[in-house]
Short mmCIF file of all heavy atoms in Angstrom, two decimals:
data_model
loop_
_atom_site.label_atom_id
_atom_site.label_comp_id
_atom_site.label_asym_id
_atom_site.label_seq_id
_atom_site.Cartn_x
_atom_site.Cartn_y
_atom_site.Cartn_z
N MET A 119 119.42 108.77 82.09
CA MET A 119 119.80 107.34 82.09
C MET A 119 120.40 106.97 80.74
O MET A 119 119.78 107.12 79.71
CB MET A 119 118.57 106.49 82.37
CG MET A 119 118.86 104.99 82.36
SD MET A 119 120.05 104.49 83.63
CE MET A 119 119.11 104.79 85.13
N LYS A 120 121.60 106.51 80.77
CA LYS A 120 122.24 106.08 79.53
C LYS A 120 121.66 104.75 79.06
O LYS A 120 121.39 103.88 79.86
CB LYS A 120 123.75 105.91 79.75
CG LYS A 120 124.49 107.21 79.55
CD LYS A 120 125.97 107.01 79.82
CE LYS A 120 126.55 105.97 78.88
NZ LYS A 120 128.00 105.79 79.10
N ASN A 121 121.52 104.64 77.78
CA ASN A 121 120.94 103.43 77.24
C ASN A 121 121.70 102.97 76.00
O ASN A 121 121.17 102.32 75.13
CB ASN A 121 119.46 103.68 76.87
CG ASN A 121 118.58 102.57 77.43
OD1 ASN A 121 119.07 101.65 78.07
ND2 ASN A 121 117.29 102.65 77.17
N ASP A 122 122.96 103.33 75.94
CA ASP A 122 123.75 103.08 74.74
C ASP A 122 123.88 101.60 74.40
O ASP A 122 124.07 101.24 73.26
CB ASP A 122 125.17 103.64 74.92
CG ASP A 122 125.13 105.16 75.06
OD1 ASP A 122 124.08 105.74 74.75
OD2 ASP A 122 126.14 105.73 75.48
N ASN A 123 123.79 100.77 75.41
CA ASN A 123 124.06 99.36 75.17
C ASN A 123 122.81 98.57 74.80
O ASN A 123 122.88 97.39 74.55
CB ASN A 123 124.70 98.74 76.42
CG ASN A 123 126.07 99.33 76.67
OD1 ASN A 123 126.85 99.50 75.73
ND2 ASN A 123 126.35 99.67 77.89
N VAL A 124 121.69 99.25 74.77
CA VAL A 124 120.46 98.57 74.39
C VAL A 124 120.09 99.00 72.98
O VAL A 124 119.80 100.15 72.73
CB VAL A 124 119.32 98.91 75.36
CG1 VAL A 124 118.04 98.23 74.91
CG2 VAL A 124 119.68 98.49 76.77
N ARG A 125 120.16 98.06 72.07
CA ARG A 125 119.86 98.35 70.68
C ARG A 125 118.58 97.66 70.27
O ARG A 125 118.18 96.68 70.89
CB ARG A 125 121.02 97.86 69.80
CG ARG A 125 122.32 98.58 70.12
CD ARG A 125 123.47 97.88 69.47
NE ARG A 125 123.55 96.50 69.91
CZ ARG A 125 124.29 95.57 69.34
NH1 ARG A 125 125.00 95.86 68.29
NH2 ARG A 125 124.30 94.34 69.80
N PRO A 126 117.95 98.15 69.22
CA PRO A 126 116.69 97.54 68.76
C PRO A 126 116.84 96.05 68.51
O PRO A 126 115.92 95.27 68.78
CB PRO A 126 116.39 98.28 67.45
CG PRO A 126 117.01 99.62 67.64
CD PRO A 126 118.27 99.37 68.46
N ASP A 127 117.99 95.64 68.02
CA ASP A 127 118.21 94.23 67.76
C ASP A 127 118.02 93.38 69.00
O ASP A 127 117.57 92.23 68.93
CB ASP A 127 119.64 94.00 67.23
CG ASP A 127 119.71 94.31 65.74
OD1 ASP A 127 118.67 94.68 65.17
OD2 ASP A 127 120.80 94.19 65.18
N ASP A 128 118.37 93.93 70.11
CA ASP A 128 118.27 93.17 71.36
C ASP A 128 116.83 92.80 71.68
O ASP A 128 116.56 91.81 72.35
CB ASP A 128 118.84 93.98 72.52
CG ASP A 128 120.35 94.18 72.38
OD1 ASP A 128 120.99 93.31 71.76
OD2 ASP A 128 120.85 95.18 72.87
N LEU A 129 115.91 93.62 71.21
CA LEU A 129 114.51 93.40 71.55
C LEU A 129 113.86 92.33 70.69
O LEU A 129 112.71 91.99 70.87
CB LEU A 129 113.74 94.71 71.45
CG LEU A 129 114.28 95.80 72.39
CD1 LEU A 129 113.47 97.07 72.25
CD2 LEU A 129 114.25 95.32 73.84
N LYS A 130 114.61 91.81 69.72
CA LYS A 130 114.09 90.70 68.93
C LYS A 130 114.22 89.39 69.70
O LYS A 130 113.64 88.39 69.32
CB LYS A 130 114.85 90.57 67.61
CG LYS A 130 114.63 91.75 66.67
CD LYS A 130 115.50 91.58 65.44
CE LYS A 130 115.41 92.80 64.53
NZ LYS A 130 116.45 92.74 63.47
N TRP A 131 115.00 89.43 70.74
CA TRP A 131 115.25 88.21 71.49
C TRP A 131 114.03 87.79 72.30
O TRP A 131 113.26 88.61 72.76
CB TRP A 131 116.42 88.41 72.46
CG TRP A 131 117.72 88.63 71.77
CD1 TRP A 131 118.22 89.83 71.36
CD2 TRP A 131 118.68 87.66 71.40
NE1 TRP A 131 119.44 89.64 70.77
CE2 TRP A 131 119.75 88.33 70.78
CE3 TRP A 131 118.74 86.27 71.54
CZ2 TRP A 131 120.87 87.65 70.31
CZ3 TRP A 131 119.85 85.60 71.07
CH2 TRP A 131 120.92 86.29 70.46
N ARG A 132 113.94 86.51 72.45
CA ARG A 132 112.95 85.98 73.38
C ARG A 132 113.67 85.17 74.43
O ARG A 132 114.76 84.67 74.19
CB ARG A 132 111.95 85.08 72.64
CG ARG A 132 110.93 85.88 71.86
CD ARG A 132 110.02 84.98 71.05
NE ARG A 132 108.99 85.80 70.40
CZ ARG A 132 107.72 85.79 70.76
NH1 ARG A 132 107.31 85.02 71.73
NH2 ARG A 132 106.86 86.55 70.14
N CYS A 133 113.05 85.07 75.55
CA CYS A 133 113.65 84.28 76.62
C CYS A 133 113.82 82.84 76.17
O CYS A 133 112.89 82.23 75.63
CB CYS A 133 112.75 84.35 77.85
SG CYS A 133 113.37 83.36 79.21
N CYS A 134 115.00 82.31 76.39
CA CYS A 134 115.26 80.94 75.95
C CYS A 134 114.60 79.92 76.87
O CYS A 134 114.53 78.75 76.57
CB CYS A 134 116.77 80.68 75.87
SG CYS A 134 117.62 80.98 77.41
N GLN A 135 114.12 80.40 78.00
CA GLN A 135 113.54 79.47 78.96
C GLN A 135 112.02 79.42 78.91
O GLN A 135 111.41 78.37 79.04
CB GLN A 135 113.99 79.83 80.38
CG GLN A 135 115.49 79.75 80.52
CD GLN A 135 115.93 79.79 81.98
OE1 GLN A 135 115.30 79.21 82.83
NE2 GLN A 135 117.01 80.48 82.25
N CYS A 136 111.40 80.58 78.73
CA CYS A 136 109.93 80.58 78.74
C CYS A 136 109.34 81.26 77.52
O CYS A 136 108.12 81.42 77.44
CB CYS A 136 109.42 81.22 80.03
SG CYS A 136 109.86 82.95 80.22
N GLN A 137 110.18 81.67 76.57
CA GLN A 137 109.72 82.23 75.29
C GLN A 137 108.95 83.54 75.43
O GLN A 137 108.22 83.95 74.55
CB GLN A 137 108.85 81.21 74.53
CG GLN A 137 109.53 79.86 74.32
CD GLN A 137 110.88 79.99 73.63
OE1 GLN A 137 111.01 80.67 72.63
NE2 GLN A 137 111.88 79.36 74.18
N SER A 138 109.12 84.24 76.54
CA SER A 138 108.48 85.53 76.70
C SER A 138 109.29 86.59 75.96
O SER A 138 110.50 86.45 75.80
CB SER A 138 108.40 85.91 78.18
OG SER A 138 107.62 84.97 78.87
N ASP A 139 108.62 87.65 75.51
CA ASP A 139 109.33 88.77 74.91
C ASP A 139 110.14 89.48 75.98
O ASP A 139 109.66 89.71 77.09
CB ASP A 139 108.34 89.77 74.29
CG ASP A 139 107.68 89.19 73.06
OD1 ASP A 139 108.35 88.46 72.31
OD2 ASP A 139 106.49 89.47 72.85
N LEU A 140 111.36 89.83 75.61
CA LEU A 140 112.20 90.52 76.57
C LEU A 140 111.80 91.98 76.69
O LEU A 140 111.29 92.58 75.76
CB LEU A 140 113.67 90.43 76.14
CG LEU A 140 114.25 89.02 76.06
CD1 LEU A 140 115.71 89.09 75.65
CD2 LEU A 140 114.10 88.28 77.38
N VAL A 141 112.03 92.54 77.84
CA VAL A 141 111.80 93.96 78.06
C VAL A 141 113.12 94.58 78.53
O VAL A 141 113.99 93.89 79.05
CB VAL A 141 110.70 94.21 79.11
CG1 VAL A 141 109.37 93.65 78.64
CG2 VAL A 141 111.09 93.63 80.45
N VAL A 142 113.23 95.89 78.33
CA VAL A 142 114.42 96.58 78.80
C VAL A 142 114.11 97.31 80.09
O VAL A 142 113.13 98.04 80.18
CB VAL A 142 114.93 97.59 77.75
CG1 VAL A 142 116.11 98.39 78.30
CG2 VAL A 142 115.34 96.86 76.48
N GLY A 143 114.91 97.10 81.07
CA GLY A 143 114.69 97.77 82.34
C GLY A 143 115.84 97.51 83.28
O GLY A 143 116.82 96.86 82.93
N GLN A 144 115.69 98.02 84.47
CA GLN A 144 116.77 97.91 85.44
C GLN A 144 116.88 96.50 85.98
O GLN A 144 115.90 95.90 86.41
CB GLN A 144 116.51 98.88 86.59
CG GLN A 144 116.68 100.33 86.17
CD GLN A 144 117.57 101.08 87.15
OE1 GLN A 144 117.41 100.98 88.35
NE2 GLN A 144 118.52 101.82 86.64
N VAL A 145 118.08 95.98 85.93
CA VAL A 145 118.36 94.68 86.52
C VAL A 145 119.60 94.82 87.39
O VAL A 145 120.45 95.68 87.17
CB VAL A 145 118.60 93.61 85.44
CG1 VAL A 145 117.33 93.36 84.66
CG2 VAL A 145 119.74 94.01 84.52
N ALA A 146 119.69 93.96 88.37
CA ALA A 146 120.86 93.97 89.25
C ALA A 146 121.93 93.07 88.66
O ALA A 146 121.65 91.94 88.25
CB ALA A 146 120.46 93.50 90.64
N VAL A 147 123.13 93.57 88.61
CA VAL A 147 124.25 92.81 88.07
C VAL A 147 125.38 92.83 89.09
O VAL A 147 125.59 93.82 89.78
CB VAL A 147 124.75 93.45 86.75
CG1 VAL A 147 125.91 92.65 86.17
CG2 VAL A 147 123.60 93.55 85.75
N THR A 148 126.08 91.73 89.17
CA THR A 148 127.25 91.70 90.05
C THR A 148 128.48 91.47 89.19
O THR A 148 128.53 90.56 88.38
CB THR A 148 127.13 90.57 91.08
OG1 THR A 148 125.93 90.75 91.82
CG2 THR A 148 128.31 90.59 92.04
N TYR A 149 129.46 92.33 89.34
CA TYR A 149 130.68 92.22 88.56
C TYR A 149 131.85 92.64 89.42
O TYR A 149 131.83 93.69 90.04
CB TYR A 149 130.57 93.11 87.32
CG TYR A 149 131.83 93.13 86.47
CD1 TYR A 149 132.24 91.98 85.78
CD2 TYR A 149 132.60 94.28 86.37
CE1 TYR A 149 133.38 92.00 85.01
CE2 TYR A 149 133.74 94.30 85.60
CZ TYR A 149 134.13 93.15 84.92
OH TYR A 149 135.27 93.18 84.16
N MET A 150 132.85 91.79 89.47
CA MET A 150 134.03 92.07 90.27
C MET A 150 133.64 92.46 91.71
O MET A 150 134.13 93.44 92.27
CB MET A 150 134.86 93.19 89.63
CG MET A 150 135.55 92.70 88.36
SD MET A 150 136.43 94.01 87.46
CE MET A 150 137.66 94.49 88.67
N ASN A 151 132.72 91.69 92.27
CA ASN A 151 132.28 91.89 93.65
C ASN A 151 131.55 93.22 93.88
O ASN A 151 131.33 93.63 95.01
CB ASN A 151 133.46 91.79 94.63
CG ASN A 151 134.06 90.40 94.59
OD1 ASN A 151 133.33 89.40 94.49
ND2 ASN A 151 135.36 90.31 94.66
N ASN A 152 131.19 93.89 92.80
CA ASN A 152 130.42 95.11 92.94
C ASN A 152 129.02 94.88 92.40
O ASN A 152 128.83 94.34 91.31
CB ASN A 152 131.08 96.25 92.15
CG ASN A 152 132.32 96.76 92.86
OD1 ASN A 152 132.24 97.64 93.70
ND2 ASN A 152 133.46 96.18 92.53
N ARG A 153 128.05 95.28 93.17
CA ARG A 153 126.67 95.10 92.78
C ARG A 153 126.11 96.45 92.35
O ARG A 153 126.27 97.45 93.03
CB ARG A 153 125.86 94.55 93.96
CG ARG A 153 124.46 94.14 93.61
CD ARG A 153 123.82 93.47 94.83
NE ARG A 153 122.38 93.33 94.65
CZ ARG A 153 121.82 92.33 93.97
NH1 ARG A 153 122.57 91.41 93.43
NH2 ARG A 153 120.51 92.26 93.85
N PHE A 154 125.46 96.45 91.20
CA PHE A 154 124.88 97.69 90.70
C PHE A 154 123.68 97.35 89.84
O PHE A 154 123.47 96.21 89.47
CB PHE A 154 125.91 98.48 89.88
CG PHE A 154 126.48 97.69 88.73
CD1 PHE A 154 125.95 97.84 87.47
CD2 PHE A 154 127.54 96.83 88.94
CE1 PHE A 154 126.47 97.11 86.41
CE2 PHE A 154 128.06 96.09 87.87
CZ PHE A 154 127.52 96.23 86.62
N THR A 155 122.89 98.37 89.53
CA THR A 155 121.74 98.15 88.65
C THR A 155 121.98 98.91 87.35
O THR A 155 122.58 99.97 87.32
CB THR A 155 120.44 98.65 89.28
OG1 THR A 155 120.56 100.03 89.60
CG2 THR A 155 120.12 97.86 90.54
N THR A 156 121.50 98.32 86.27
CA THR A 156 121.68 98.94 84.97
C THR A 156 120.55 98.48 84.05
O THR A 156 119.86 97.51 84.34
CB THR A 156 123.05 98.55 84.38
OG1 THR A 156 123.27 99.31 83.19
CG2 THR A 156 123.11 97.07 84.06
N ASP A 157 120.37 99.20 82.95
CA ASP A 157 119.32 98.82 82.01
C ASP A 157 119.83 97.75 81.05
O ASP A 157 120.82 97.95 80.36
CB ASP A 157 118.89 100.05 81.19
CG ASP A 157 118.01 100.98 82.00
OD1 ASP A 157 117.54 100.55 83.06
OD2 ASP A 157 117.79 102.10 81.57
N LEU A 158 119.14 96.64 81.03
CA LEU A 158 119.48 95.56 80.11
C LEU A 158 118.21 94.85 79.70
O LEU A 158 117.22 94.85 80.44
CB LEU A 158 120.40 94.54 80.80
CG LEU A 158 121.87 94.92 80.98
CD1 LEU A 158 122.58 93.84 81.78
CD2 LEU A 158 122.55 95.11 79.64
N PRO A 159 118.24 94.24 78.51
CA PRO A 159 117.08 93.41 78.12
C PRO A 159 116.99 92.21 79.04
O PRO A 159 117.99 91.55 79.31
CB PRO A 159 117.44 92.97 76.69
CG PRO A 159 118.55 93.87 76.24
CD PRO A 159 119.29 94.27 77.49
N HIS A 160 115.80 91.94 79.50
CA HIS A 160 115.63 90.79 80.38
C HIS A 160 114.22 90.25 80.27
O HIS A 160 113.32 90.92 79.77
CB HIS A 160 115.96 91.14 81.82
CG HIS A 160 114.99 92.13 82.43
ND1 HIS A 160 115.12 93.47 82.24
CD2 HIS A 160 113.90 91.94 83.19
CE1 HIS A 160 114.13 94.09 82.88
NE2 HIS A 160 113.37 93.18 83.46
N CYS A 161 114.05 89.04 80.74
CA CYS A 161 112.74 88.40 80.71
C CYS A 161 111.94 88.85 81.93
O CYS A 161 112.41 88.71 83.05
CB CYS A 161 112.92 86.89 80.71
SG CYS A 161 111.36 86.02 80.87
N PRO A 162 110.72 89.39 81.69
CA PRO A 162 109.91 89.86 82.82
C PRO A 162 109.30 88.72 83.62
O PRO A 162 108.82 88.92 84.73
CB PRO A 162 108.82 90.69 82.14
CG PRO A 162 108.68 90.09 80.79
CD PRO A 162 110.06 89.60 80.40
N VAL A 163 109.35 87.53 83.05
CA VAL A 163 108.71 86.39 83.71
C VAL A 163 109.67 85.67 84.64
O VAL A 163 109.40 85.49 85.82
CB VAL A 163 108.13 85.42 82.67
CG1 VAL A 163 107.51 84.20 83.36
CG2 VAL A 163 107.11 86.13 81.79
N CYS A 164 110.83 85.27 84.09
CA CYS A 164 111.75 84.47 84.91
C CYS A 164 113.02 85.24 85.27
O CYS A 164 113.91 84.70 85.91
CB CYS A 164 112.08 83.16 84.21
SG CYS A 164 113.07 83.37 82.72
N LYS A 165 113.08 86.50 84.83
CA LYS A 165 114.19 87.40 85.20
C LYS A 165 115.53 87.02 84.59
O LYS A 165 116.56 87.49 85.05
CB LYS A 165 114.35 87.46 86.74
CG LYS A 165 113.06 87.75 87.47
CD LYS A 165 112.42 89.03 86.99
CE LYS A 165 111.16 89.32 87.83
NZ LYS A 165 110.36 90.39 87.23
N THR A 166 115.50 86.18 83.58
CA THR A 166 116.75 85.89 82.88
C THR A 166 117.23 87.13 82.15
O THR A 166 116.47 87.76 81.43
CB THR A 166 116.54 84.75 81.86
OG1 THR A 166 116.18 83.57 82.55
CG2 THR A 166 117.81 84.51 81.05
N VAL A 167 118.48 87.50 82.35
CA VAL A 167 119.04 88.68 81.70
C VAL A 167 119.72 88.28 80.41
O VAL A 167 120.55 87.37 80.39
CB VAL A 167 120.05 89.39 82.61
CG1 VAL A 167 120.64 90.62 81.92
CG2 VAL A 167 119.39 89.79 83.93
N MET A 168 119.34 88.96 79.33
CA MET A 168 119.95 88.68 78.05
C MET A 168 121.16 89.59 77.87
O MET A 168 121.02 90.80 77.74
CB MET A 168 118.93 88.92 76.93
CG MET A 168 119.51 88.85 75.54
SD MET A 168 120.17 87.21 75.13
CE MET A 168 118.67 86.24 75.13
N ILE A 169 122.33 89.02 77.87
CA ILE A 169 123.53 89.82 77.65
C ILE A 169 124.24 89.28 76.43
O ILE A 169 124.81 88.19 76.46
CB ILE A 169 124.47 89.77 78.88
CG1 ILE A 169 123.72 90.27 80.13
CG2 ILE A 169 125.70 90.63 78.61
CD1 ILE A 169 124.60 90.32 81.37
N THR A 170 124.17 90.03 75.34
CA THR A 170 124.90 89.64 74.15
C THR A 170 126.37 90.01 74.35
O THR A 170 126.72 90.76 75.25
CB THR A 170 124.37 90.37 72.91
OG1 THR A 170 124.57 91.77 73.08
CG2 THR A 170 122.88 90.10 72.71
N GLU A 171 127.20 89.49 73.48
CA GLU A 171 128.63 89.75 73.63
C GLU A 171 128.91 91.24 73.54
O GLU A 171 129.69 91.80 74.31
CB GLU A 171 129.40 89.00 72.56
CG GLU A 171 130.89 89.02 72.81
CD GLU A 171 131.64 88.13 71.83
OE1 GLU A 171 131.03 87.23 71.25
OE2 GLU A 171 132.83 88.36 71.66
N ALA A 172 128.25 91.90 72.60
CA ALA A 172 128.47 93.34 72.41
C ALA A 172 128.01 94.12 73.64
O ALA A 172 128.69 95.05 74.09
CB ALA A 172 127.72 93.82 71.18
N VAL A 173 126.89 93.73 74.19
CA VAL A 173 126.39 94.39 75.38
C VAL A 173 127.34 94.17 76.54
O VAL A 173 127.68 95.09 77.28
CB VAL A 173 124.99 93.86 75.76
CG1 VAL A 173 124.58 94.32 77.15
CG2 VAL A 173 123.96 94.32 74.73
N ALA A 174 127.80 92.93 76.67
CA ALA A 174 128.71 92.60 77.77
C ALA A 174 129.98 93.43 77.68
O ALA A 174 130.46 93.97 78.68
CB ALA A 174 129.04 91.11 77.75
N MET A 175 130.53 93.54 76.49
CA MET A 175 131.76 94.30 76.31
C MET A 175 131.54 95.76 76.69
O MET A 175 132.33 96.35 77.42
CB MET A 175 132.21 94.23 74.83
CG MET A 175 132.51 92.82 74.38
SD MET A 175 134.19 92.30 74.74
CE MET A 175 135.07 93.13 73.44
N GLY A 176 130.47 96.34 76.17
CA GLY A 176 130.20 97.75 76.46
C GLY A 176 129.89 97.97 77.92
O GLY A 176 130.34 98.93 78.53
N LYS A 177 129.13 97.05 78.48
CA LYS A 177 128.72 97.21 79.87
C LYS A 177 129.90 97.04 80.82
O LYS A 177 130.05 97.77 81.78
CB LYS A 177 127.63 96.17 80.18
CG LYS A 177 126.95 96.37 81.51
CD LYS A 177 126.31 97.75 81.61
CE LYS A 177 125.13 97.91 80.66
NZ LYS A 177 124.52 99.26 80.78
N MET A 178 130.76 96.10 80.51
CA MET A 178 131.91 95.88 81.37
C MET A 178 132.84 97.10 81.33
O MET A 178 133.40 97.50 82.35
CB MET A 178 132.67 94.62 80.95
CG MET A 178 131.91 93.35 81.27
SD MET A 178 131.32 93.26 82.98
CE MET A 178 129.57 93.11 82.75
N ALA A 179 132.98 97.69 80.16
CA ALA A 179 133.81 98.89 80.04
C ALA A 179 133.21 100.01 80.87
O ALA A 179 133.90 100.76 81.56
CB ALA A 179 133.92 99.30 78.59
N GLU A 180 131.89 100.10 80.82
CA GLU A 180 131.18 101.13 81.58
C GLU A 180 131.36 100.90 83.07
O GLU A 180 131.60 101.83 83.84
CB GLU A 180 129.69 101.06 81.21
CG GLU A 180 128.85 102.15 81.82
CD GLU A 180 127.39 102.03 81.39
OE1 GLU A 180 127.13 101.91 80.17
OE2 GLU A 180 126.53 102.01 82.27
N VAL A 181 131.28 99.66 83.48
CA VAL A 181 131.43 99.31 84.89
C VAL A 181 132.84 99.63 85.37
O VAL A 181 133.04 100.17 86.45
CB VAL A 181 131.12 97.82 85.10
CG1 VAL A 181 131.50 97.40 86.53
CG2 VAL A 181 129.64 97.57 84.87
N GLU A 182 133.80 99.26 84.55
CA GLU A 182 135.19 99.53 84.94
C GLU A 182 135.41 101.02 85.12
O GLU A 182 136.15 101.47 85.98
CB GLU A 182 136.14 98.94 83.91
CG GLU A 182 136.25 97.43 84.09
CD GLU A 182 136.90 96.75 82.91
OE1 GLU A 182 137.42 97.45 82.02
OE2 GLU A 182 136.88 95.51 82.87
N GLN A 183 134.74 101.81 84.26
CA GLN A 183 134.84 103.27 84.38
C GLN A 183 134.24 103.72 85.70
O GLN A 183 134.80 104.56 86.40
CB GLN A 183 134.09 103.92 83.21
CG GLN A 183 134.32 105.42 83.13
CD GLN A 183 135.78 105.74 82.80
OE1 GLN A 183 136.34 105.21 81.87
NE2 GLN A 183 136.39 106.63 83.58
N ILE A 184 133.11 103.13 86.06
CA ILE A 184 132.45 103.48 87.32
C ILE A 184 133.37 103.14 88.49
O ILE A 184 133.53 103.92 89.42
CB ILE A 184 131.12 102.70 87.46
CG1 ILE A 184 130.11 103.22 86.43
CG2 ILE A 184 130.56 102.85 88.87
CD1 ILE A 184 128.86 102.36 86.31
N LEU A 185 134.01 101.98 88.41
CA LEU A 185 134.87 101.56 89.50
C LEU A 185 136.09 102.47 89.63
O LEU A 185 136.54 102.78 90.72
CB LEU A 185 135.33 100.11 89.26
CG LEU A 185 134.21 99.07 89.26
CD1 LEU A 185 134.78 97.69 89.05
CD2 LEU A 185 133.41 99.12 90.56
N GLU A 186 136.60 102.90 88.49
CA GLU A 186 137.77 103.78 88.51
C GLU A 186 137.43 105.13 89.11
O GLU A 186 138.27 105.78 89.71
CB GLU A 186 138.29 103.98 87.09
CG GLU A 186 139.08 102.77 86.60
CD GLU A 186 139.49 102.94 85.14
OE1 GLU A 186 139.34 104.06 84.63
OE2 GLU A 186 139.96 101.97 84.55
N ASP A 187 136.19 105.54 88.93
CA ASP A 187 135.77 106.85 89.41
C ASP A 187 135.60 106.90 90.92
O ASP A 187 135.50 107.96 91.51
CB ASP A 187 134.45 107.28 88.76
CG ASP A 187 134.69 107.64 87.29
OD1 ASP A 187 135.86 107.81 86.92
OD2 ASP A 187 133.72 107.76 86.55
N LYS A 188 135.53 105.72 91.53
CA LYS A 188 135.30 105.69 92.97
C LYS A 188 136.49 106.22 93.76
O LYS A 188 137.61 105.95 93.39
CB LYS A 188 134.98 104.25 93.42
CG LYS A 188 133.52 103.93 93.21
CD LYS A 188 133.18 102.55 93.76
CE LYS A 188 131.71 102.25 93.49
NZ LYS A 188 131.39 100.86 93.80
ZN1 LIG B 177 111.84 83.82 80.81
#
C-alpha cells in the first residue's frame, strides 16, 4: 500500500468539526465520476476527510495515473 501522500505533518491536524485526532486509513473518494478508496487522514468520529493542498495535488495525479492505466 502506497502511503506517499500521508506525511507526519498531516497527523497534527484535528477535525475542525469535532476536534478529534485524525487517523490515517482507507476512505472512499469520488473524483471525475470514479469512486475509489485510498489512504488519507480523516476523522474517525464524523468521517471528515482532511485533504491538504499538497495531498490533493499528489492524490489527483495518482488518480489520473490510475485512470490512464485503465
Ligand atoms: Zn470529526
Side-chain angles (χ1 to χ4, degrees):
M119 179 61 68
K120 274 178 59 178
N121 228 0
D122 296 345
N123 294 316
V124 178
R125 298 168 301 167
D127 279 359
D128 293 331
L129 300 181
K130 293 176 186 170
W131 293 88
R132 283 175 176 251
C133 178
C134 57
Q135 299 193 39
C136 63
Q137 306 304 313
S138 298
D139 290 324
L140 298 181
V141 297
V142 175
Q144 290 229 314
V145 294
V147 181
T148 303
Y149 177 68
M150 289 175 63
N151 297 321
N152 285 272
R153 188 174 167 83
F154 56 96
T155 58
T156 188
D157 284 346
L158 284 175
H160 66 277
C161 173
V163 178
C164 68
K165 310 304 183 191
T166 297
V167 179
M168 172 63 65
I169 303 183
T170 63
E171 190 173 339
V173 168
M175 299 274 282
K177 190 58 68 180
M178 289 309 121
E180 185 179 310
V181 171
E182 283 166 10
Q183 189 66 50
I184 291 169
L185 296 182
E186 283 175 11
D187 288 346
K188 276 185 182 171

